[in-house]
Amino acid sequence: MTNHDPAFNPNITSVPVREARLGSVVAYEGTAADLARRSRDGSLRERPRTFTEAGSCASSCAICLLSLIPDAAVVNHAPLGCAGDFTQFNAVNRFGRVKRGLPPANAHLLSTNLRENEAVFGGLARLEETVREAHARFAPKAIFITASCTSAITGEDSDSVAEKLEREFGIPIATVACEGFRSRLWTTGFDAAYHAILRKIVKPPRERHPEKINVVTFWGEDVFDDLFTPLGLKANPIVPFAPIDEIARISEAGATVQICSTLGTYLAAGLEERYGVPEVKAPPPYGLSGMDAWMRALGRTVGRQAEVEKVVARERERTAGELAGLRRELKGVRAYVAAGSVHGHSIRAVLGELGIEVVGSSFWHHDPVFDHRDAAADSLLHVVHNYGDTPVSICNKQVYQVVNQLRRLRPDVFIVRHPGMAVWGGKLGIPTFLVEDEHFGLGYRGLLRYGRKIADAVSNPAFFRHLARHTRLPYTDWWFAQRSSAFLGEER
Amino acid sequence: MNAIGQPRQFCALGGQQTVAAIERALPIIHAGPGCSNKIFGALAHCNGFQGSGYAGGNAIPSTNATETEVVFGGEQRLREVIDGALQVMDGDLFVVLTGCTADLVGDDVPAVVAEYRRRGAPILHVSTGGFKGYANWGHEQVVLAIIDQLLEPAPRQERLVNVWSVLPYQDPFWAGNLQALGDLLRSIGLTPNLLFGHASGGIAAWRKIPAAALNLVVSPWPGLDVAQRLEDRFGTPWLHQPVLPIGAVETSAFLRAVGTFAHIDVEPVVEREEARFYHYLDRSADFFLEMRWDLPSRFSCVADSFYSIGASRFLANELGLLPGPQFVTDNPPEEHQATLRALFETLPGKPAVHFTQDSGQIADVLRAAADADHHPLILGSSWDRDLARELDGFHLSVSLPANNRLVLDRAYAGYAGGLRLMEDIYTGILAKY
Ligand code: SF4
């Protein structure tokens, strides 16, 4: 995978899906070291999963990211069920705004509400009507039209509507190819959203702001000022809560850093390729080793090595005492981690740093490479090198597989990051927690926060004990006698 | 205007939550990869934080259609998932629900499901492609599918009453409301067959449906088709009570209607329950009289048919509040809209009624009706908080989506339900200061 095409092609409207672009998979059973090796030598192949539970789709990821842009509007070109996560994303939006000191407000979301008539006779008129309504109702600076299975199957030319109204309204209107069936990887939806942003929103740089660092984030707390100010840098969290005019100018930044390459791979690579904004290629900033490497890579990229060393030394010293205490306290704790790909590796790193034994792990999918192809950012390789090998299951958040493993491994704590998964550990009586804020465990302080959280979680299992005693799992005894990979076919 | 901002009904695949509400019944979704989760999020998680339960949420088997199934058809994938579900999942009934992809591609799902039924598997199918209808329609399709594909005639049981009322999950308070209706029926000597929720009996209870002496539709209109279908198939008579009874006035009227139909003297029960209800009203009358100066002067329901009618009648006819504009957000079919209008027309001041779930239209009407000297009370969904604040009003989420409340077994139906609604409305008002 050395000679590869540029990640970002502005002339196509649909982003290539992750399975084609990166060779990403949603099924694997083995170990972290093996998975990392096969990701690097190109031998990783998908295994078909015959029995499947509900997944997620690309449209959710795209709508979520785009609806957090405060002065944009999102038109979901779909039947009303695809708008099922509007409520959730609106909650994310309100919550995130408050966290960033903005007043709570409802997100600018509209559904075209496709019905039988449009499914049969076409929905372009409905789309035009809805985009007009979005323009009138929200006076947005940009409009994103997110596709759905229905709009994609009927195969109409949404771009024609976008182009026509773009001229009429004088604002960018971008289609987003995030229909669920296109990709097994729901994270393709992030790429689809960024593709639209790169195509339609980001402008060529008029000036350069080397001190401005794009931080590709979700909705987590803004924890970067503390780290960046001593380096003379200014964090620019994108794209949630960044206004359109600001996003237009991310091409002027000195560098782009990632918190989680699963999220930002496509945007960061596109910015580097097209506008020469260097992407800091490093493992994610979790655990001491990850944080050090991330800070140093940033320092190298922007020429602030000496300042970085000072921050690293200072932070390491500040945290050493409490960290040693936490390691003593958590000694002997056995954990199982289940999370999205790179963020899962990040949590695994945090656990490794705290001296917690990781008895198993489930990551929802795996990207063998990122769009830049650079091994320096290989988060899985990084945790294998620093914390050793661990059993790994790439499970597309299949509850039946995770429960099968948890029931066998009986960890002391189950650490999850994805809504709807935690409850299954809880039902088994395993102390379980979910930290929604992806910045919670970030960096030196985050490591301590996370450690304390785990210590708390294992210290009072009352809730889990009661739950386990009074619940019944929906799986057969037959299933619990099988290997968790029983429904995975041969590699193809 | 067809576009919808801030949806309050979602799509027919919502029927998956109807299946999840039947004890030990499991949905199998034949749809795109995100559909099931989005529906769970919309109708369960973001609606009172109703959770996964026994086998919902991420545990729901789903074919997660990819390009291959869209281009070449998804029947084989469906077989794989059914095969797995029958081995892995511990359930008494499996219901295959189709989403947009399967229904657009035209997979022959009835034929696939028939293969399994021939082998004795307890499995049904229902077509719920999202473009075909809203969630309440999807609910009804599931119920009709079970009736058509599972039920056999059974000997009549004299006191047995099937209850068709609030829709599971779609009403954030469904579990409590059904229990409350069940308690009311038990209090007058009937045996309710609640069909959904805790201790409702699962598939065995559904098999008893044809044995019932009465199908009781406590609903403005959802469920009427079900009652009609059951009359056609099993000759069961049915009684329609369009108002979800909240508080003493409506609950007593409800009990009397059922009593008349079933030849039961309900007066002793009515007397006892009214005495209890009005005891608390009487005890707190100071509050209602002394705080009137700042209580809402006009209320608007922005809710599904059940609550827009049920709550507005309670607030107007029991508490003596005055109705402002009313909104019905669950898209009643044309043929039922006149009946609904008639129910609003008997309220004091004959409020205007709007049938829409779009927040833009709702906000336009409420802004136009605003009066600087008054505080409106909005009984709506969590979407309406900002508008209530903008209009310097009060707000309580009672209808889909209610993601600013945790709901366990709270009920607004019945005598006690009326007391709960008062507590919630006025506690919310007091918390504002
Ligand atoms: S999988 Fe397709 S139909 Fe289902 S929610 Fe996603 S876009 Fe909509």
Side-chain angles (χ1 to χ4, degrees):
Chain A
M1 298 224 181
T2 40
N3 294 329
H4 64 92
D5 297 331
F8 170 60
N9 176 355
N11 300 319
I12 54 173
T13 52
S14 303
V15 73
V17 298
R18 279 200 186 190
E19 42 272 66
R21 231 174 61 237
L22 308 176
S24 308
V25 301
V26 294
Y28 168 85
E29 195 83 32
T31 74
D34 177 67
L35 180 60
R37 179 184 56 76
R38 299 193 54 193
S39 299
R40 284 284 132 209
D41 69 18
S43 68
L44 184 66
R45 296 286 175 276
E46 184 70 293
R47 294 176 68 180
R49 178 182 281 107
T50 53
F51 176 57
T52 46
E53 293 170 313
S56 290
C57 83
S59 91
S60 294
C61 292
I63 296 172
C64 183
L65 262 189
L66 296 169
S67 67
L68 297 174
I69 301 174
D71 53 359
V74 178
V75 169
N76 182 214
H77 191 23
L80 207 51
C82 300
D85 37 24
F86 279 19
T87 328
Q88 177 65 23
F89 298 157
N90 190 55
V92 169
N93 181 55
R94 295 176 75 91
F95 190 66
R97 287 176 60 94
V98 171
K99 264 192 166 181
R100 311 249 172 143
L102 302 163
N106 287 330
H108 300 159
L109 288 159
L110 281 185
S111 165
T112 55
N113 185 23
L114 297 177
R115 308 295 306 269
E116 191 120 38
N117 187 61
E118 291 76 37
V120 176
F121 300 108
L124 285 188
R126 179 67 67 85
L127 176 61
E128 177 169 341
E129 178 193 340
T130 309
V131 176
R132 285 186 184 284
E133 182 64 24
H135 184 248
R137 197 177 286 187
F138 307 121
K141 292 232 174 80
I143 297 174
F144 298 98
I145 299 169
T146 56
S148 66
C149 294
T150 300
S151 74
I153 290 174
T154 56
E156 294 173 286
D157 184 9
S158 302
D159 281 295
S160 65
V161 173
E163 280 155 28
K164 173 179 151 189
L165 296 179
E166 189 169 60
R167 279 194 298 276
E168 187 180 325
F169 298 153
I171 56 168
I173 302 181
T175 57
V176 184
C178 58
E179 56 273 25
F181 68 79
R182 259 189 91 216
S183 178
R184 281 188 305 274
L185 290 300
W186 64 75
T187 47
T188 290
F190 295 135
D191 310 338
Y194 292 135
H195 186 72
I197 287 172
L198 284 166
R199 273 180 66 226
K200 292 282 191 172
I201 310 295
V202 181
K203 300 270 173 300
R206 282 172 302 177
E207 47 201 60
R208 292 282 177 183
H209 296 280
E211 75 294 344
K212 181 167 98 175
I213 307 298
N214 296 325
V215 187
V216 188
T217 60
F218 237 144
W219 55 75
E221 202 177 330
D222 191 348
V223 294
F224 303 102
D225 284 349
D226 252 17
L227 293 165
F228 285 15
T229 313
L231 305 177
L233 300 175
K234 181 134 188 35
N236 185 38
I238 53 172
V239 295
F241 312 108
I244 287 292
D245 288 344
E246 183 51 50
I247 298 172
R249 302 180 59 189
I250 58 179
S251 56
E252 300 174 358
T256 305
V257 294
Q258 308 258 17
I259 302 310
C260 171
S261 300
T262 295
L263 175 68
T265 173
Y266 191 78
L267 178 61
L271 285 173
E272 175 166 314
E273 272 175 20
R274 197 147 172 80
Y275 301 116
V277 181
E279 176 182 351
V280 176
K281 285 134 194 137
Y286 294 81
L288 292 182
S289 61
M291 188 58 182
D292 289 354
W294 188 83
M295 289 291 284
R296 290 184 173 129
L298 171 63
R300 277 195 303 280
T301 309
V302 297
R304 301 268 206 295
Q305 288 97 322
E307 293 90 329
V308 162
E309 288 309 324
K310 269 189 226 138
V311 173
V312 168
R314 185 195 71 197
E315 291 294 321
R316 272 195 169 245
E317 199 193 307
R318 262 197 212 173
T319 45
E322 196 175 342
L323 182 58
L326 275 170
R327 282 179 177 149
R328 272 194 302 279
E329 194 177 339
L330 294 168
K331 199 168 161 53
V333 171
R334 299 161 69 252
Y336 189 104
V337 49
S341 188
V342 172
H343 194 71
H345 309 160
S346 300
I347 297 173
R348 199 265 168 264
V350 166
L351 298 176
E353 205 67 68
L354 293 166
I356 291 173
E357 184 194 353
V358 178
V359 294
S361 56
S362 281
F363 306 130
W364 313 144
H365 80 283
H366 186 70
D367 303 314
V369 293
F370 300 115
D371 284 287
H372 55 57
R373 259 76 181 164
D374 193 328
D378 190 327
S379 48
L380 188 62
L381 207 56
H382 166 80
V383 293
V384 172
H385 278 160
N386 286 281
Y387 308 104
D389 205 0
T390 317
V392 167
S393 161
I394 302 300
C395 77
N396 208 19
K397 76 176 169 88
Q398 298 294 297
V399 175
Y400 77 104
Q401 288 190 264
V402 176
V403 167
N404 179 299
Q405 294 197 1
L406 284 175
R407 201 163 167 276
R408 190 162 317 163
L409 293 167
R410 289 258 149 219
D412 301 314
V413 60
F414 178 46
I415 300 171
V416 191
R417 187 175 181 276
H418 197 94
M421 294 303 284
V423 67
W424 304 103
K427 282 174 190 262
L428 282 164
I430 301 167
T432 298
F433 72 87
L434 174 145
V435 175
E436 189 75 44
D437 186 329
E438 72 277 10
H439 301 158
F440 182 80
L442 188 147
Y444 306 99
R445 310 274 169 81
L447 178 60
L448 301 180
R449 276 205 281 192
Y450 221 96
R452 282 195 295 271
K453 184 90 193 166
I454 296 169
D456 285 354
V458 296
S459 67
N460 184 0
F463 183 81
F464 302 100
R465 239 184 250 142
H466 298 306
L467 193 58
R469 205 169 296 146
H470 299 282
T471 198
R472 191 169 157 184
L473 288 165
Y475 299 112
T476 57
D477 292 338
W478 175 86
W479 171 240
F480 289 128
Q482 310 302 307
R483 283 170 299 112
S484 64
S485 60
F487 287 94
L488 299 189
E490 291 304 309
E491 294 184 358
R492 49 183 174 205
Chain B
M1 235 280 299
N2 294 299
I4 290 178
Q6 309 182 343
R8 298 154 198 262
Q9 249 298 298
F10 308 101
C11 80
L13 200 59
Q16 109 180 352
Q17 294 304 124
T18 298
V19 178
I22 300 171
E23 291 185 294
R24 290 182 54 76
L26 279 77
I28 295 176
I29 305 302
H30 185 35
C35 307
S36 176
N37 251 228
K38 290 203 190 204
I39 291 298
F40 169 70
L43 299 186
H45 183 73
C46 289
N47 197 31
F49 298 95
Q50 307 179 64
S52 307
Y54 174 61
N58 281 293
I60 296 176
S62 167
T63 53
N64 301 339
T66 63
E67 198 115 36
T68 317
E69 287 77 55
V70 168
V71 176
F72 301 106
E75 293 167 19
Q76 199 43 42
R77 264 298 285 145
L78 178 59
R79 285 190 192 93
E80 287 180 355
V81 171
I82 295 176
D83 284 339
L86 293 175
Q87 287 180 293
V88 173
M89 310 297 297
D90 180 18
D92 296 339
L93 178 74
F94 295 84
V95 180
V96 177
L97 298 103
T98 47
C100 295
T101 51
D103 282 352
L104 285 171
V105 169
D107 288 342
D108 192 350
V109 173
V112 173
V113 168
E115 296 165 15
Y116 290 89
R117 285 175 68 96
R118 274 196 295 277
R119 283 182 247 149
I123 186 166
L124 318 171
H125 64 86
V126 48
S127 166
T128 43
F131 57 86
K132 292 185 168 181
Y134 294 116
N136 45 23
W137 183 84
H139 161 84
E140 195 144 288
Q141 296 311 299
V142 168
V143 172
L144 293 174
I146 300 177
I147 292 171
D148 293 348
Q149 298 173 49
L150 185 79
L151 300 192
E152 309 281 352
R156 186 118 311 169
Q157 294 178 20
E158 247 357 283
R159 311 246 109 191
L160 187 64
V161 177
N162 300 322
V163 178
W164 307 101
S165 184
V166 292
L167 311 190
Y169 288 91
Q170 302 184 35
D171 171 8
F173 308 97
W174 67 277
N177 282 339
L178 288 182
Q179 293 298 333
L181 291 173
D183 290 345
L184 286 171
L185 294 174
R186 265 188 290 268
S187 75
I188 58 169
L190 295 171
T191 307
N193 192 13
L194 298 177
L195 302 166
F196 299 106
H198 175 67
S200 61
I203 294 316
W206 282 75
R207 290 194 192 277
K208 280 197 307 200
I209 287 174
L214 169 65
N215 282 304
L216 179 58
V217 182
V218 191
S219 157
W221 58 274
L224 288 174
D225 290 354
V226 170
Q228 187 59 56
R229 181 75 58 96
L230 289 169
E231 182 187 311
D232 294 347
R233 269 203 69 194
F234 305 111
T236 323
W238 49 280
L239 175 66
H240 183 205
Q241 286 293 295
V243 180
L244 179 69
I246 299 173
V249 172
E250 289 297 339
T251 307
S252 297
F254 166 76
L255 286 178
R256 288 185 176 118
V258 178
T260 305
F261 190 92
H263 308 293
I264 296 171
D265 175 16
V266 300
E267 289 314 316
V269 174
V270 165
E271 205 172 301
R272 185 187 74 215
E273 292 300 320
E274 287 196 350
R276 191 182 120 79
F277 179 88
Y278 288 111
H279 167 78
Y280 289 105
L281 211 63
D282 177 42
R283 203 190 67 176
S284 295
D286 316 57
F287 169 81
F288 289 98
L289 299 176
E290 292 176 9
M291 292 289 286
R292 267 289 204 245
W293 60 271
D294 204 32
L295 291 191
S297 47
R298 294 285 185 280
F299 70 86
S300 289
C301 293
V302 187
D304 66 15
S305 301
F306 290 92
Y307 286 107
S308 59
I309 289 170
S312 64
R313 290 175 75 92
F314 172 68
L315 295 177
N317 296 342
E318 184 92 57
L319 294 189
L321 298 183
L322 295 171
Q326 305 295 315
F327 302 85
V328 180
T329 59
D330 58 351
N331 307 282
E334 294 282 337
E335 68 262 32
H336 297 302
Q337 292 189 6
T339 330
L340 298 189
R341 280 184 200 284
L343 287 166
F344 283 109
E345 251 157 42
T346 60
L347 297 178
K350 294 188 185 175
V353 187
H354 306 266
F355 294 91
T356 177
Q357 62 169 315
D358 175 60
S359 293
Q361 295 177 47
I362 292 164
D364 289 347
V365 174
L366 286 177
R367 284 195 188 107
D371 172 340
D373 294 331
H374 296 304
H375 304 287
L377 166 67
I378 299 177
L379 289 196
S381 71
S382 41
W383 289 122
D384 307 310
R385 277 174 291 171
D386 289 351
L387 186 67
R389 198 176 302 132
E390 178 192 320
L391 302 177
D392 196 16
F394 308 106
H395 168 261
L396 181 72
S397 291
V398 296
S399 193
L400 180 68
N403 80 333
N404 61 332
R405 299 188 65 172
L406 171 68
V407 183
L408 301 173
D409 70 343
R410 193 167 220 60
Y412 288 140
Y415 295 98
L419 297 178
R420 290 298 84 72
L421 187 55
M422 276 191 263
E423 285 176 346
D424 291 347
I425 289 173
Y426 292 107
T427 300
I429 290 173
L430 291 169
K432 203 180 152 178
Y433 299 108

